[in-house]
Every structure is written in C-alpha cells, then in structure tokens.
Amino acid sequence: MGGLAHIPILSIVIFFPMVGVLFLLLIDKESESVLKGTALAFSIIEFALSLPLIVYFRSDTAKFQFVERIPWVKSFGVQYFLGIDGISLLLVMLTTFLTVLCILSSWRAIKDHLKEYMIAMLFLETGMLGAFIALDLVLFYIFWEMMLIPMYLLIGVWGGPRRIYAAVKFFLYTMVGSVLMMVAIMALYFLYHRATGVYTFDITKLYQLNLPLGPQMWMFAAFSLAFAIKVPMFPFHTWLPDAHTEAPTAGSVILAGVLLKMGTYGFIRFSIPLFPSAAHKFVPLIMVLAVIGIIYGALVAMMQKDVKKLVAYSSVSHLGFVMLGMFALNIQSVEGSIYQMLNHGISTGALFLIVGMIYERRHTRLIKDFGGLSKQLPIYATFFMIVTLSSIGLPGTNGFVGEFLILLGTFKSSRVFAVFAATGVVLGAAYMLWMFQRVMFGKLDKEENKVLKDLNFREIMTLVPLVVLIFWMGVYPSFFLGKMQKSVSHFLTQVNTKIAARQMLDHGNRALAENIWNNGKIKIVNVN
Amino acid sequence: MMSHIWLIPFFPMVGFLINGLLGVRFKRSWIHVIAASAIGLSFLTTIILFVDLMKVAPEARHFEDVLFNWIVAGKFKAQVAFLIDPLSIVMALVVTGVSFMIHIYSGGYMEDDPGFRRFFVYLNLFVFSMLILILANNFLLMFVGWEGVGLCSYLLIGFWFEKDSAANAGKKAFVVNRIGDFGFVLGLFLIVATLSQHGIWSLDFDVVFKNAPLFSTTTVTAITLLLFVGATGKSAQIPLYVWLPDAMEGPTPVSSLIHAATMVTAGVYMIARCNVLYSMAPVSLEVVAVIGALTAFYAATMALVNNDFKRILAYSTVSQLGYMFMGVGVGAYSAGIFHLMTHAFFKGLLFLASGCVMHAMAGELDIRKMGGLKKFMPVTFWTYMMATLAICGIPGFSGFFSKDEILWQSFHRGHIVVWLLGTVAAGLTAFYMFRLTFVAFFGKPRMDDELKHHLHEAPKVMTYPMIVLAIASVVGGYIGVPEVLGGSNRFEKFFEPVFTGGAAHALAHASASVEFLMMGISVAVAVIGIIVAYLFYIKNPELPVRLANGMKGLYTLLYNKYFVDEIYNSLFVQGTKDFATFLWQKVDVGIVDAAVNGVASLVEWSGGMIRKLQTGYVQTYAFSILVGGVVVFVYFFWESLF
C-alpha cells in the first residue's frame, strides 16, 4: 500500500465514472461516435485506475485496505467510510472489467437515446463500486439503492417487448427486500447506541455486537431477504428470467455479472458476520434452498426455448452453488463460493454477450430458429464452445475450480447436500450441451442463417479478455485464491468463534464464552 | 531427463496451439506434419525417459516433476505435477506410440475433409489430455485429463456435427461420462474428507496410498466403488457402456485412437494406479471383476448379430475392456495392463483396417454389402488378419498371452464364475470376429458394380502405420510370456514396484499342468468359435438365417441391443425432460411466479377498492400497502428487541 498512502484511490475509483457522466452531459446527443468513444475511454481509464488496487493489495493481512474515513453526518454518526479486503477486491475488479466489455458490446445494439444509455451505464458503475467498497451501512444503503435506478431504466427503456413489466417487477421486488433491510439497519444502530452510547453505522464496529439470538434472527431475516431476492435464491428468483429476457445485452451482462453478486456479497459482508449465530441457525434452510436452486434451476433451464432465458435459469443454478459454499462455512467452501461469484460473472457474462451477438444479427433468441451455425460462424462457434465449457465447469477452466472447492468444502460439513448438489454438475452439462447442439450443430437449414456474418474485430476483442480469464483462472487460480485467503480465514474465525461463544452464553456459561472470545482475540460489545 | 517429464505432454500442446491458433493459413501437409511430429517428439521423449528409468534400480523407479501449485485453499493443496514409474511409462509409451501411428494414418484418411485442421487440433489436444491423465501425480490433475479426454471425445464424435446422429452421439458420450464422473468426484471428496480428519490435505497418489491404512474398510470400499463408477463411464462398462457404440459416428481414426486404444482404457489404468486402495476392498474388487466379466460376455453377444463393421468392433471393444476389468478385479493388475497394451495394438489396428474398408466402400459400413474384399485390399486384409488372430487369442499372437493371463489368473485366484464368463466370451469373440472376416473379406463381392470398380487399397500413408501395428499385434505379447511356457513374464516383474503394495502376491504356486489345461481350454474355445463361424458363413450361408428365424425372440433381442437404449431413453432422458417441463410450467410459472404476481394483483385490487374513496395512482397505494407492511413488521420487531 506504500505507494498509495496519501491518495484516496477508492474514492477515485468509485467516482471517476461520474466524471464521465459529466463529460457525456456536455456532448451533443447526435454525435454518437463521440458519445461511444467517450464512454468507452472512461470505462477503460476506470479499469486502469482500479488496477493499482490489485497491484498494491497486501495478501498477508485480513484488514481493510486503502481505507478512507471522513465523518459525514456527524450528529447521526454517519461516516464516509471506504475500504476493501480480499473478499471485495476481486468483485471490484470484476465490475470495472465487465463495464468496459458492456460498453463495447453496446456499440451497435443501442440506437435510441444513446447518450442517456451511456450515462446510465457509468452511473450504474459508480453505484456498484460504492456498494462493494462502502463500510458504513448508510453509505452502503445509498449505493445499493442508487444501483436500482439505472438498472431499472436500462431494462425499462432499452429492453425488449415486455420491458415495462420486467422493469417494474425487478424494481418492486428488490425494493420490498431493501426496505426491510433499512429497518434492520436502524435497529442495529439503536442497539449499538444502547450498548455503548455511540451512534455509528461503521460495520467494523457493529461486527463487535454480541446480540441475543432472538434479535439476531429477526435482523438476519430482514437483511437476508433483501440479499436472497437479489441473488436470487429459490423461490425468490422469478424476477430474474423476466429481467434478463427483456434487458439489453449489456444490461444482462451487468445484471448477471455484478448485480447478482450484490446479493451474495451482502450475505458474506453483512448477514453472516453481523448475525453469526442466526446465520448458523439458518444454515439448514439456506442450504436446502441452495440445493433446490441448483437442481431446479438446471432442470427448468433445460426445457427453455429462449437461449437467454435458459442462461437466466442457469444463473439460478450457479448462484445456488455460491450460496451452498458460503453457508458450508469452511475455508474451501467459502473460497470456492467467492471464486464462483467471479466465475459466474465471467462465464455467464460471456454467455449473455454471445447470445447478444447472435440476437443483433437475427433478432431472435429462440433455439428453434437456429441450428448448424457452427458451419457459418466458426469463430463464433469456438468462443461459444469455450464459454459453454467454462459454464459447465470443465477442469482447466475457471468453473471447475469454484465448483470443486464448493463441493469439497460442503462435502466435509454436510455430505448429503454435496451429493445432491453434485448432480447439478451432470445436469449442467446436459442442458448446456443440448442447447449448444440445437443452436450450433445439425444442418444449417434456415435461409436467414445462411447469410450471417462471423464475428467482427470489435466483437472478438470483447470476448478475448473473457476467454483469457477463463483459462487463467482455471489453470493458475493461486493468483486469485491467494488474494482472498487471509480475509476468508479471518471471516471464518470471527464467525465460528462467535457462534461457539453464543452457544456457551445460551447455556449460561459466561466464563467459557469469554474464554473463547479471548482465545480468538475477538472484541465484543455486549447487548443485554 | 527425469526432471523433464513435462516435455511429454508439452509437445502435443504446442502442436495443438500452433495448428489451433495459426493453422488457418497453413497448407494441409504442414498441418499434418506439425501435428504428427508433435506426437512423434512426445513418443521420442517417452522412449528416452523409459531408457533412463530402466537404468535405475527397480525399487527406485519413481520420479516426480512438480511444475506449480494449482489449487490451494486453506490446507488443501493440489499441484500440477507429473509422475513417472513403471505403470505410467508403459501407458505413456502405448499412448504416444499408437497415437503417433494413428496421426500418420489420419493424414491420408482425412485428406479430403474440409475440417482437416480442426481434426488435427482436436487430436493433438486429445493426446495432451490423455498424457495429463496418465502422468498426473495426483487424483485431481488426473481428473483434468480424465475430463479433458472426455471433451476431445465429445468434439471428435461430433466432428461431422451437421449430421444429427453425430451431434447426438457426442452429447450422449459427454453426459454419460459426466454421470460416471459424478461418482469419481465423490470418491475424491471422500478421500479428502477422511484424510483431513487426520490432518492430511492432499490428493497426491503417494500421500493417499501411504496413508491408506487410515481408511476403514467401509470407507475404502465406498471410495473404490465411487471411483469405479467413473471407470464404468469412461471405459464403457455396464451400466454406462451405451455411449461407446454410438461414438462410432466419429471419424474412424478417432474410433481407433480414442474409442479403442487409449481413452477407454483410462478406467483400467485408474484402478491399476489405485491398486493399494482396491486391494484393501475385496468387495469392490469383486464388483469390478464381476462387472468386467458380465460386460465381456454381454457385449460379445451383441456383436454376434450386428451388421455394421465399426459397431461390431465397438461392441468388441466394450467386451475386451471387460476382460481388462476382470484382470484388475481379480487382483492381477499387471495382467489387466498387459491386455490393455496388446488390445491397444490390435484393436487400434482393426479400426484402422475398417477405415481403409470404409474408404474403399465409399463410406459403406454394412458388411452384408461387402464380400471378397481380400483380393482388392491385400495389405489391409493381412494386417487385419494379424489383429483378428490376436484378439481371438490364437497362440503366438499377442492377445493370446494377455487374455490367457487374465483367464488363468481369474481361475487360479478362485473366481470361477468370472473365468467361465470370460471363457465363453472368448468363444463368442472368435465367432463374431471370424463372422466379420468371412462376410466382409471372403466370398463373392456383393457391392454394386460402380462401387466394385471403386475398390482400392489404401495409400501408403495409411498402410504403413497399419503394418507397424500389425507387427506389434504379433510380437507385443512376448514381453509377457508366462513362466510355464518358458518365459519369465518380464512384464509382470517390471510392474512389481507399483503393484506389490496392492497385489496379493503370495499366491501358492499352481501346478504347471493346471495352467496348461486352462490354456488348452481357452485355445479350444477360440478354435471352436472360428470353426462355427466358418460353417455358418463359408460352408453353409443359409444356416445363420435359419437359426435367426428359429430363435426369433433371442435374435430380435440381440439385434436391438437388448433394447437398453430405448429403456434408458424413456426412463432417464424422457423422464428428466417431463419432470423438467412440469417444474417449469406447473411449478415455476404456475406457483412460484403466480404467487409473486398474485401479491402484485392483490395490491392493485385493493388499490382499486380504495380508489372509490380517493383518486390517485395505483403505485401510490401499492406504496402505502408496502409501508403498512413495514410498519407491522417494525412493530413486532421492536417488540422482540426491547
């Protein structure tokens, strides 16, 4: 961190896209290429600005890094408090990375209101980055809500035929969850004040709260409902296929790639560490839902007629793996879970790009309208194949590392869940390869498909970085796993120690609980 | 040289990358030269390593080459590292050697195919994956190769993807293998989960086998059975064999290399590699032996009545793989590997011969439309004959030594049922192979005149590799001549350092006369098979027709492959699809989403009610109801907190 000691790098990373927004506002809405060029330039510079984070990130500590802390609304204890650790670092990188590809992919797809579209994209980027980086609950909540608006517009303005329905559904569903979270945030705030006399939304402080199980359960449920809808976990997933089918390509990429991760990130950053004992109580329920999601998502995906909807349901299945690994609460499973978040962003993002490319050419996404495309589009076919393999977790690709670690960790803690979840791996191969076969193999028998052009340079350049990452993360995962190792083990020690201590307390054994806290070097603020 | 094991898979990878990334501009001959020499170099490296290995004392023949840490999470660590010992070097020699021959052959076979480059790209990738599989020093890296070869198999079966049958067969192979891999992976998890309780976090073969005593019998039985599930997928055993006959949709060199000589033997190799574990689990070994014997017999029966040149060979492969599992299943690991090797030579060759026939016959595979090919294609015929005599177990040919070793070991170790099934299957093998020979190569030509004029011998680029394999099919057996025949079974001795850990070696020495008797029986059974085939298809061609009519039921059953494909289809494939459709339309749309929309409608409806009292927007009311809900929630919330 040495070289960056006095630079507010996180603030720069968060708000640089907003500078782009200001620039875009000044540009005439008719000059499309200038608009596109500016947006692309800002997204690329933004990605470049985020690179120092990974370069100067110290993998040997679990502490938050690049921390910025300024009192904001003093009377309420709200702070402008930023920082990243091994869990959020890679998600931040994923966000800046995918945004570049999204803007590239919108080059020809977006014809109307281009200026507003690009503004929405950059605005969204700031919202997402802020949500990953904020360490103050109010600040987090602001960014969390801030993401909703541009995403709502992306679907509602630039979406498909049923875009209004999908956008409203997305918005309201997410809102319902968030409002309850807001209530729980307030409760947490007052509880902390009652215990210490200090008003704060600082999560590192709130982590220290030792709450009785009852309130933990309530607040965990309130936080988690918001996140579970966002993930989305079965049975809260039905907004996702609608949102995906209607959203424009870039919207789907960002939605699948980053926004869904807000849900899983929320669990690992807030729900679990704030309310560990409640999380522990919820483990069976969440694991059951995760396994149902894995199998159910895969089966429903299998029968879809629309490629995009198929990919949307496959997300339900993949995110089930993420949730399963996270709640198995051991180091392999949690690292696998975080890894799978990145994987899903990359491979599902790539799948949506690929579907978008063919949609731009044919204006259909129905499987039955295709067939035999491999012959006409060999380059497209190669990329599609690689991404498909990554999605089904072939060893050597990123998908394998995540699924393997998740299942290995889950197997250690609860075998039955791991066995059921592993069937998802078989089903994954079935639905993806069946789809691939119907779209790419067979006779090229539709006239419209015989004149399709293969990928152009821009499209290839959009996909190449993803393919590089697919193999990099599959062959040399140590680079990425090494970054998160300390943070994940810190997370697990905190959570598991608190769970153990709470159990002691509930058995009336205060001394033993204190002993556990002391051994784990854990600071505790008691609430009675 | 031992620190350069990585060179063996490195060359095929380079070939894959060069042709894959830059090959679009290359001439076909370059592509072929690049691909084939990549494998040639790999073969050469393997030979050098083999020579080096032989210089070392037998018990020290174990070298590892660690490249880098692959997956490290918590205490768990898996590396990319290679292992050379007698077992892996033999496998590597067979794989690179046979692959080299088939790569040369393919240059001729695929000459006019528009997908020439793609073919060689996949083929090099296959060899790379196969070498990763056999050279890996740990289970996880082995699994990379294991699924990698599966991928190449998928790509190559579906090589002519415009044909629906090919695309279907490729997908079927992948999915069926994934079912097997499901078991395999669970086996790995069980290993880690068990060892980790003792503080051991590794999937390295060395570490796992050294700590094998930590496993309880139940655990090790479960582990070995789960791993065997993987083997039944990859090596096409009951009940997961169904993909292999369909795999014949791929180009014939692929059938030869992947679906006969190398990939499908991976399961046998895996069990031999894990001999320490299997020998601790007698129940698993019994299962392996019985499944192997049943498959050997069952697949042979389906080959009896089939009329497709390549499918007969495919069932034959399934059946021969069954023998290999019999071998390892009765604990005679080196016998299993011995047969794996000889089979790679003769079955690889049989498929190459079928490729020459296909070329000559303009793609026709129905043996009823052939006949008399012997005189049009002499080299093909004679090399084919060497392989046929080898597979039938005629004394002097390689298959005799290896198959006989398996049968003898089964009998000697007391697996009488296994031995009996194997012996009967040996008779069936001789019959169906000579049925194929007589119908396709002997008698009058039955093809139409146009095709008859087209008949030709294959070019040298194809026949030379076949001659090499023909020689191997004959002499390949002499490295394992049993002691009773005056040999010293050097093959088995060579493997001792690997298999002593596992094999129940202290068997009482059997009397030579029993061994001779057994040998006599298997030869007699083979000769009977050949004679029956001769009577049926040369002497008295209407006899099989009469027989088929006389036993209509049995014939139909065999001809339709016991209807297993149909049963699997309606039970598993259609069943899954129906269930999935139900989930989607009834549960997802009908219940889950309907509930969400129901809530929304309820909000809207209540809004409509209140509208009579007030004017305003539905959204406003929706919002107020939301707020109401929140208020209620907060109330109870506060109640519980304070």
Side-chain angles (χ1 to χ4, degrees):
Chain A
M1 225 186 326
L4 294 174
H6 302 294
I7 304 166
I9 182 75
L10 292 178
S11 294
I12 296 173
V13 167
I14 295 177
F15 291 106
F16 185 73
M18 295 305 275
V19 180
V21 169
L22 291 178
F23 264 79
L24 287 173
L25 284 170
L26 302 174
I27 297 168
D28 179 41
K29 62 196 265 184
E30 299 303 316
S31 37
E32 294 194 352
S33 47
V34 182
L35 284 168
K36 286 192 267 197
T38 312
L40 181 65
F42 270 91
S43 69
I44 291 174
I45 297 169
E46 165 73 1
F47 176 63
L49 285 174
S50 68
L51 283 176
L53 296 182
I54 203 162
V55 174
Y56 291 103
F57 185 83
R58 285 179 48 190
S59 311
D60 56 353
T61 170
K63 289 208 180 83
F64 285 105
Q65 304 184 25
F66 313 106
V67 170
E68 295 171 35
R69 188 201 288 267
I70 303 164
W72 185 17
V73 188
K74 268 195 184 140
S75 49
F76 293 122
V78 181
Q79 299 179 63
Y80 177 79
F81 180 22
L82 308 175
I84 55 174
D85 65 356
I87 295 168
S88 48
L89 167 74
L90 294 168
L91 291 166
V92 167
M93 300 308 297
L94 180 73
T95 308
T96 56
F97 173 73
L98 281 180
T99 305
V100 178
L101 303 185
C102 282
I103 288 177
L104 261 179
S105 78
S106 313
W107 222 247
R108 270 176 31 210
I110 303 302
K111 305 235 159 45
D112 305 323
H113 308 292
L114 184 74
K115 179 171 168 177
E116 290 79 1
Y117 177 87
M118 291 301 177
I119 288 173
M121 287 299 292
L122 290 179
F123 192 81
L124 181 59
E125 188 174 16
T126 290
M128 296 184 296
L129 289 169
F132 282 136
I133 295 174
L135 297 177
D136 181 280
L137 276 174
V138 170
L139 192 61
F140 165 76
Y141 195 80
I142 291 169
F143 284 121
W144 168 271
E145 294 290 301
M146 180 179 158
M147 296 179 309
L148 269 183
I149 301 152
M151 195 62 219
Y152 170 76
L153 294 174
L154 281 177
I155 301 173
V157 177
W158 293 277
R162 291 176 71 226
R163 56 181 182 267
I164 301 299
Y165 168 75
V168 171
K169 193 172 182 180
F170 162 79
F171 195 84
L172 283 183
Y173 216 148
T174 321
M175 274 298 283
V176 171
S178 325
V179 171
L180 293 181
M181 177 167 72
M182 188 67 207
V183 175
I185 288 176
M186 296 315 295
L188 204 53
Y189 174 71
F190 287 119
L191 279 171
Y192 188 84
H193 175 251
R194 227 178 49 167
T196 62
V198 176
Y199 283 116
T200 185
F201 290 100
D202 175 340
I203 60 161
T204 57
K205 290 271 178 354
L206 296 173
Y207 280 165
Q208 297 168 0
L209 271 179
N210 171 33
L211 297 166
L213 193 57
Q216 276 205 34
M217 297 293 272
W218 272 104
M219 286 190 276
F220 179 87
F223 267 85
S224 300
L225 181 68
F227 300 139
I229 290 171
K230 203 83 166 184
V231 169
M233 290 191 73
F234 176 88
F236 306 114
H237 63 274
T238 52
W239 64 269
L240 185 72
D242 287 320
H244 268 314
T245 16
E246 300 310 321
T249 297
S252 287
V253 174
I254 283 293
L255 187 56
V258 185
L259 286 198
L260 304 190
K261 307 308 161 336
M262 287 296 163
T264 50
Y265 172 77
F267 275 101
I268 200 166
R269 174 70 77 226
F270 303 105
S271 290
I272 300 176
L274 285 172
F275 320 109
S277 299
H280 184 63
K281 288 272 185 254
F282 270 96
V283 162
L285 175 69
I286 290 187
M287 281 189 133
V288 166
L289 291 180
V291 169
I292 291 178
I294 291 170
I295 298 173
Y296 179 92
L299 284 169
V300 175
M302 193 177 294
M303 301 316 288
Q304 294 307 311
K305 298 175 165 68
D306 178 320
V307 186
K308 223 172 166 187
K309 224 167 180 165
L310 185 149
V311 179
Y313 276 105
S314 84
S315 290
V316 176
S317 187
H318 286 176
L319 270 299
F321 276 106
V322 176
M323 293 306 294
L324 184 72
M326 195 182 295
F327 276 80
L329 288 176
N330 59 54
I331 188 132
Q332 284 83 19
S333 75
V334 174
E335 287 194 13
S337 171
I338 298 169
Y339 212 73
Q340 192 69 356
M341 290 187 209
L342 307 172
N343 290 339
H344 180 263
I346 288 162
S347 32
T348 306
L351 277 174
F352 279 123
L353 288 173
I354 280 171
V355 176
M357 287 169 186
I358 202 69
Y359 181 78
E360 265 178 49
R361 289 166 168 72
R362 276 285 272 112
H363 298 288
T364 173
R365 292 182 310 250
L366 293 181
I367 292 174
K368 69 174 168 54
D369 290 335
F370 299 110
L373 297 190
S374 283
K375 194 175 170 61
Q376 184 68 23
L377 311 165
I379 302 175
Y380 180 77
T382 309
F383 281 110
F384 199 172
M385 185 86 244
I386 292 171
V387 174
T388 300
L389 295 174
S390 149
S391 170
I392 66 180
L394 193 86
T397 67
N398 56 350
F400 175 72
V401 180
E403 283 181 0
F404 174 78
L405 287 175
I406 289 170
L407 289 173
L408 178 70
T410 308
F411 191 88
K412 259 178 29 193
S413 59
S414 37
R415 290 187 184 177
V416 183
F417 289 125
V419 172
F420 277 103
T423 59
V425 179
V426 179
L427 293 171
Y431 70 73
M432 283 307 288
L433 293 182
W434 190 31
M435 180 270 284
F436 192 86
Q437 179 188 350
R438 285 176 295 166
V439 173
M440 303 305 292
F441 294 160
K443 283 226 159 42
L444 186 65
D445 49 5
K446 311 257 183 329
E447 286 308 317
E448 304 91 315
N449 294 336
K450 288 181 186 164
V451 293
L452 293 179
K453 284 205 178 62
D454 210 341
L455 300 188
N456 62 33
F457 180 72
R458 173 184 56 84
E459 289 169 319
I460 292 174
M461 280 305 117
T462 318
L463 292 175
V464 163
L466 290 163
V467 168
V468 169
L469 269 176
I470 283 173
F471 290 119
W472 182 11
M473 292 179 69
V475 176
Y476 197 66
S478 308
F479 177 80
F480 304 91
L481 290 173
K483 303 263 179 240
M484 62 176 81
Q485 184 115 20
K486 273 278 184 290
S487 297
V488 172
S489 59
H490 174 74
F491 162 81
L492 285 170
T493 335
Q494 292 278 319
V495 168
N496 287 327
T497 320
K498 285 178 190 165
I499 292 172
R502 185 78 245 163
Q503 279 168 348
M504 288 305 120
L505 286 177
D506 289 349
H507 286 109
N509 200 337
R510 177 99 211 163
L512 210 53
E514 303 221 339
N515 206 5
I516 292 174
W517 288 323
N518 291 338
N519 283 343
K521 296 193 182 92
I522 287 175
K523 256 191 260 164
I524 288 294
V525 171
N526 287 299
V527 174
N528 302 308
Chain B
M1 214 28 213
M2 282 303 167
S3 54
H4 295 292
I5 306 174
W6 60 275
L7 279 172
I8 303 178
F10 174 73
F11 290 118
M13 189 183 73
V14 170
F16 160 74
L17 289 176
I18 293 178
N19 278 334
L21 295 176
L22 315 165
V24 189
R25 290 161 215 285
F26 293 173
K27 283 197 299 196
R28 291 189 165 213
S29 50
W30 294 11
I31 292 171
H32 184 217
V33 167
I34 290 167
S37 42
I39 309 300
L41 284 171
S42 175
F43 184 39
L44 199 69
T45 317
T46 315
I47 292 173
I48 294 170
L49 280 169
F50 174 69
V51 173
D52 279 6
L53 192 71
M54 293 306 282
K55 288 180 194 150
V56 182
E59 56 283 359
R61 287 173 186 162
H62 182 108
F63 294 91
E64 300 203 5
D65 179 6
V66 179
L67 296 193
F68 58 89
N69 282 343
W70 180 33
I71 300 181
V72 183
K75 290 184 201 135
F76 178 80
K77 183 161 100 176
Q79 294 174 316
V80 173
F82 299 121
L83 160 67
I84 283 282
D85 70 352
L87 179 58
S88 60
I89 197 80
V90 165
M91 289 299 294
L93 281 171
V94 172
V95 167
T96 52
V98 174
S99 298
F100 185 42
M101 291 304 130
I102 294 173
H103 269 75
I104 296 173
Y105 174 97
S106 303
Y109 188 86
M110 299 300 288
E111 196 171 14
D112 302 319
D113 197 283
F116 192 82
R117 179 181 73 96
R118 192 161 53 93
F119 180 83
F120 280 102
V121 169
Y122 292 167
L123 216 55
N124 273 356
L125 181 63
F126 167 76
V127 179
F128 168 73
S129 311
M130 189 70 204
L131 288 167
I132 295 288
L133 195 167
I134 57 185
L135 294 173
N137 90 329
N138 63 75
F139 279 101
L140 205 59
L141 186 63
M142 180 196 221
F143 188 66
V144 175
W146 186 271
E147 283 236 321
V149 292
L151 165 70
C152 298
S153 166
Y154 162 79
L155 292 170
L156 283 160
I157 294 169
F159 184 75
W160 289 307
F161 55 78
E162 287 170 73
K163 269 166 68 188
D164 281 329
S165 55
N168 275 324
K171 181 190 62 200
K172 182 175 176 183
F174 197 97
V175 174
V176 171
N177 269 294
R178 262 279 160 113
I179 297 171
D181 295 351
F182 167 73
F184 191 92
V185 172
L186 290 182
L188 302 195
F189 292 154
L190 194 50
I191 292 175
V192 180
T194 314
L195 287 182
S196 66
Q197 289 166 358
H198 303 276
I200 298 155
W201 286 89
S202 175
L203 277 170
D204 287 2
F205 292 133
D206 259 9
V207 178
V208 173
F209 299 152
K210 200 161 48 189
N211 292 293
L214 294 172
F215 295 120
S216 69
T217 311
T218 326
T219 310
V220 81
T221 306
I223 291 170
T224 44
L225 285 177
L226 286 167
L227 295 177
F228 181 58
V229 172
T232 58
K234 190 102 321 186
S235 297
Q237 296 295 291
I238 293 171
L240 296 180
Y241 68 92
V242 286
W243 64 272
L244 187 58
D246 288 11
M248 297 301 121
E249 292 288 340
T252 304
V254 171
S255 312
S256 170
L257 177 61
I258 302 185
H259 304 118
T262 56
M263 181 190 82
V264 288
T265 63
V268 183
Y269 164 74
M270 185 273 293
I271 291 181
R273 174 57 73 201
C274 302
N275 65 82
V276 176
L277 302 181
Y278 277 87
S279 295
M280 287 171 66
V283 177
S284 304
L285 277 182
E286 197 62 44
V287 170
V288 173
V290 169
I291 293 277
L294 284 174
T295 309
F297 173 77
Y298 170 79
T301 60
M302 290 187 284
L304 295 176
V305 295
N306 208 296
N307 291 317
D308 181 304
F309 203 130
K310 280 180 71 180
R311 284 189 184 239
I312 295 173
L313 294 180
Y315 283 114
S316 167
T317 305
V318 176
S319 170
Q320 296 294 314
L321 290 164
Y323 278 104
M324 297 172 210
F325 281 104
M326 278 168 62
V328 294
V330 300
Y333 300 105
S334 76
I337 296 296
F338 190 18
H339 197 56
L340 183 161
M341 184 190 81
T342 60
H343 178 261
F345 300 148
F346 62 69
K347 186 55 67 62
L349 174 53
L350 285 172
F351 271 110
L352 295 187
S354 80
C356 296
V357 169
M358 266 177 92
H359 255 201
M361 296 283 300
E364 181 60 62
L365 275 169
D366 191 332
I367 55 172
R368 288 168 300 188
K369 293 180 184 157
M370 297 176 185
L373 293 178
K374 179 167 70 116
K375 78 169 184 258
F376 299 102
M377 329 177 56
V379 184
T380 303
F381 172 71
W382 283 110
T383 50
Y384 167 88
M385 268 327 280
M386 298 298 117
T388 302
L389 293 170
I391 193 178
C392 293
I394 300 303
F397 294 86
S398 63
F400 165 74
F401 297 105
S402 56
K403 192 197 283 182
D404 206 66
E405 180 77 15
I406 290 172
L407 289 173
W408 160 241
Q409 293 280 0
S410 317
F411 183 83
H412 182 48
R413 291 167 190 246
H415 300 265
I416 306 301
V417 179
V418 169
W419 170 80
L420 194 67
L421 278 168
T423 307
V424 176
L428 299 178
T429 307
F431 173 81
Y432 69 67
M433 281 312 298
F434 271 85
R435 168 176 175 263
L436 175 60
T437 311
F438 291 140
V439 174
F441 288 96
F442 287 77
K444 285 201 182 61
R446 291 180 297 276
M447 63 292 290
D448 56 39
D449 282 343
E450 199 188 331
L451 203 54
K452 199 168 150 187
H453 287 298
H454 180 72
L455 289 179
H456 57 273
E457 182 55 278
K460 290 197 176 68
V461 65
M462 289 162 73
T463 52
Y464 281 13
M466 289 167 65
I467 293 169
V468 174
L469 286 176
I471 294 168
S473 301
V474 180
V475 303
Y478 289 89
I479 55 169
V481 178
E483 281 150 20
V484 68
L485 289 180
S488 57
N489 212 339
R490 291 172 54 191
F491 199 68
E492 197 183 329
K493 294 233 164 59
F494 181 59
F495 282 128
E496 260 169 20
V498 190
F499 293 145
T500 34
H505 240 271
L507 277 177
H509 212 70
S511 74
S513 56
V514 181
E515 196 168 347
F516 271 122
L517 178 68
M518 289 299 126
M519 213 175 270
I521 292 176
S522 50
V523 173
V525 166
V527 172
I528 291 169
I530 296 171
I531 292 172
V532 175
Y534 177 76
L535 291 176
F536 273 31
Y537 296 99
I538 298 283
K539 201 76 177 149
N540 207 347
E542 70 275 14
L543 201 62
V545 183
R546 282 222 307 274
L547 205 62
N549 286 332
M551 296 191 284
K552 202 86 190 156
L554 182 64
Y555 180 79
T556 319
L557 190 65
L558 291 183
Y559 190 77
N560 290 293
K561 307 160 288 188
Y562 298 90
F563 297 99
V564 169
D565 273 322
E566 287 74 8
I567 295 168
Y568 280 13
N569 247 327
S570 55
L571 216 60
F572 301 121
V573 180
Q574 202 51 47
T576 308
K577 283 185 191 171
D578 289 346
F579 180 56
T581 311
F582 165 79
L583 280 185
W584 173 32
Q585 286 173 346
K586 298 285 183 278
V587 180
D588 209 57
V589 178
I591 300 174
V592 182
D593 200 35
V596 176
N597 287 330
V599 172
S601 309
L602 191 69
V603 171
E604 201 175 340
W605 176 81
S606 350
M609 289 290 105
I610 302 165
R611 190 193 311 224
K612 287 167 187 163
L613 304 169
Q614 276 182 298
T615 56
Y617 295 100
V618 174
Q619 287 92 322
T620 322
Y621 300 120
F623 183 69
S624 64
I625 290 197
L626 193 69
V627 171
V630 171
V631 167
V632 172
F633 181 85
V634 171
Y635 175 76
F636 285 109
F637 202 170
W638 241 248
E639 280 270 323
S640 80
L641 291 183
F642 307 110

